[in-house]
Amino acid sequence: IRDRVSTQSTGHKYDVSSSWAGKQAGGCVNYSTFVDNPQIALSLYRSTELFFSLSQPDARMERKAQCTTNIGIVILRTTDNSTRAIAYKPEDLLAVSEYCPIRDVTLAVTLKEGKYIIIPSTFYPKEESPYWLTLYANHSIKVQAVKEVPTLKIKGDWKGKTAGGNIKERTWINNPKFLLMPTKNFQKEFFDFTVVLSQPDKKPLHFIGVYLFRFFKEGEKLTPRQLVTECVCQNGLDFSVKYKNLPVSEGPYVIMPFTLKPGINSPFILKIQTKEKVVLEALE
């Protein structure tokens, strides 16, 4: 589903019509599916006063006494709003409106020059509905739907022996491993990708992270010397890291999700976002 964006130069008014449907009904920031909601790229060229109005269908048109779906608006700070955000850090949450079961929810903010992503959402996932977002600005700004970038997704578990902990633990090598490599017909010498590791939407949240190893050879054990970079784990629903200009010649690469401490049993979801044609598969 693509957002439809129209602009009116008088008074700098911008209108977006879209819907929460299927996988794009992701719910609010309390859920790892929040980033699956439709997203809108916002670019500011100076400090700007903004007023948002998010609307859902009139309950009376559906013969209801009142709206029952809680809706709201979230603004994320980013350095690149040309593609969909598949993860974010808590400090990137610049503004969150109240979530209310009413027809129109509003949010007024002043933002500095920069790039942002606007994510309207329902409070709970899987609540489907069309919506309309109107944005007023006191300066000319750029508003457009974000571009979709292919995302590979695979599920895994830290369980029993495979809950190996970080690389300073003797059991780190037992963590789940995933092979990442370009397809056979790949023509470039370098490639970029973003890795996102998500844990379940429930507490307690664990410190999680990913290691990336190069020069993988089947039948040989990985060693710390093969690490591409050091990794810092974080406590949150999502952990994300971007890799740029990785040499194809240093592959295949292996991605290893880990928890800070060994013995923590939990499922996880590993996502790879890239414009390139790559293969992601679990290693035994």
Side-chain angles (χ1 to χ4, degrees):
I1 297 172
R2 296 183 177 179
D3 293 337
R4 295 186 295 276
V5 180
S6 62
T7 64
Q8 297 180 11
S9 58
T10 303
H12 305 299
K13 178 186 176 185
Y14 304 82
D15 296 297
V16 178
S17 60
S18 187
S19 63
W20 301 294
K23 292 183 179 180
Q24 288 194 321
C28 71
V29 296
N30 294 344
Y31 302 91
S32 60
T33 52
F34 167 69
V35 292
D36 296 334
N37 286 298
Q39 300 182 11
I40 303 144
L42 173 64
S43 299
L44 306 183
Y45 308 105
R46 65 177 80 177
S47 179
T48 304
E49 297 176 8
L50 303 163
F51 180 83
F52 299 86
S53 177
L54 175 64
S55 304
Q56 60 179 318
D58 191 336
R60 292 171 295 180
M61 299 299 291
E62 300 179 4
R63 298 182 179 180
K64 297 180 181 179
Q66 62 182 22
C67 294
T68 57
T69 303
N70 290 273
I71 61 173
I73 307 164
V74 174
I75 302 177
L76 297 180
R77 175 176 49 200
T78 182
T79 56
D80 180 12
N81 61 7
S82 62
T83 58
R84 167 177 289 275
I86 59 173
Y88 62 92
K89 297 178 181 178
E91 56 265 30
D92 294 332
L93 282 170
L94 289 191
V96 180
S97 73
E98 291 186 9
Y99 278 78
C100 302
I102 56 179
R103 186 181 182 189
D104 301 295
V105 171
T106 61
L107 176 65
V109 294
T110 299
L111 298 178
K112 298 179 180 179
E113 175 185 351
K115 296 179 180 180
Y116 304 88
I117 290 180
I118 312 303
I119 306 182
S121 76
T122 58
F123 189 84
Y124 297 104
K126 300 181 180 180
E127 294 184 313
E128 300 190 345
S129 173
Y131 71 81
W132 301 270
L133 179 69
T134 300
L135 168 58
Y136 299 90
N138 67 332
H139 298 297
S140 179
I141 61 178
K142 186 177 182 180
V143 180
Q144 60 184 3
V146 297
K147 296 179 181 179
E148 298 291 335
V149 174
T151 301
L152 303 176
K153 182 187 297 186
I154 192 167
K155 294 182 179 180
D157 292 274
W158 296 294
K159 188 175 182 180
K161 184 179 178 181
T162 65
N166 74 83
I167 207 165
K168 294 183 179 180
E169 304 289 343
R170 291 184 299 173
T171 52
W172 71 271
I173 194 64
N174 298 328
N175 283 305
K177 306 169 192 68
F178 300 88
L179 184 69
L180 178 70
M181 60 181 179
T183 57
K184 292 182 179 179
N185 298 325
F186 198 82
Q187 301 293 325
K188 300 179 181 179
E189 295 183 4
F190 303 91
F191 69 117
D192 305 338
F193 59 90
T194 299
V195 179
V196 177
L197 179 65
S198 302
Q199 56 183 318
D201 306 323
K202 61 181 180 180
K203 295 182 179 180
L205 296 177
H206 306 294
F207 281 89
I208 58 175
V210 294
Y211 295 124
L212 181 66
F213 298 88
R214 59 189 145 200
F215 300 126
F216 169 73
K217 292 183 180 180
E218 190 172 354
E220 296 184 7
K221 284 189 175 182
L222 296 170
T223 70
R225 291 183 178 181
Q226 293 171 259
L227 276 175
V228 174
T229 59
E230 291 294 329
C231 179
V232 178
C233 57
Q234 69 182 41
N235 181 17
L237 284 175
D238 299 310
F239 171 89
S240 66
V241 58
K242 292 183 179 181
Y243 295 99
K244 293 186 176 182
N245 297 321
L246 286 182
V248 174
S249 61
E250 294 186 2
Y253 291 88
V254 170
I255 298 172
M256 178 186 287
F258 70 94
T259 56
L260 179 61
K261 296 180 179 180
I264 294 177
N265 297 321
S266 176
F268 62 81
I269 298 176
L270 180 67
K271 301 176 187 176
I272 305 295
Q273 185 185 63
T274 179
K275 298 177 182 178
E276 314 296 349
K277 292 183 179 181
V278 299
V279 176
L280 177 67
E281 59 185 36
L283 288 174
E284 295 295 334

